[in-house]
Amino acid sequence: MPMFVSIDGVDGVGKTTAARLFAASRGFQYYKSPSGSFEDLRREVDKYASPIGRYAFYRLALQHDSAVITELLKTGPVVTDRYIATTYAYHMVLDPRIQEIHSEVGLLRPTFQILLSARPKVRVRRLEERRVSAMR
């Protein structure tokens, strides 16, 4: 099976930029998670759902992404922008009970997971640039 790389981290560390550059330079297919209807609903869920409800939504999105990535791998290697590690990291701090219910059963596991980090000042600048850009 072709290689599957997941680039994870919190908002503003450069996941999307790194994943796109990686895909372009290595001939990988780029995949943004969550996708499809899950991407469309994401803002509403983030705004209104409880931490457990939000985790359930993103865990279901991971199940969907896992199936889509499995199909993509039939045609070549894939790099994804956020996946299991990002989902877990975001949610376990919102509600400690999520650590007890988190499961990776049934999910395609990446060949490699890359965790990005950035200095807080860099993250804040990147998030502000993103906010200003979205307002245009």
Side-chain angles (χ1 to χ4, degrees), residues 8 16 22 38 44 49 61 64 67 77 83 87 92 96 103 107-108 110 115:
D8 289 288
T16 301
F22 186 91
F38 293 98
E44 294 297 312
H64 170 265
Y83 194 54
T87 300
M92 71 177 196
S103 171
L107 296 176
L108 175 68
L115 178 63

Side-chain angles (χ1 to χ4, degrees), residues 21-87:
L21 289 171
F22 186 91
S25 68
R26 303 283 185 226
F28 277 55
Q29 300 169 82
Y30 170 76
Y31 183 81
K32 175 82 171 163
S33 173
S35 70
S37 298
F38 293 98
E39 176 61 21
D40 297 340
L41 295 170
R42 183 175 172 203
R43 289 189 198 280
E44 294 297 312
V45 170
D46 288 351
K47 189 173 182 178
Y48 297 111
S50 69
I52 295 284
R54 182 180 164 170
Y55 172 77
F57 169 83
Y58 280 98
R59 179 57 179 82
L60 184 58
L62 282 175
Q63 198 71 44
H64 170 265
D65 293 336
S66 178
V68 172
I69 293 166
T70 297
E71 288 301 309
L72 289 173
L73 285 168
K74 292 177 181 176
T75 62
V78 175
V79 60
T80 187
D81 172 354
R82 71 177 66 227
Y83 194 54
I84 299 169
T86 299
T87 300

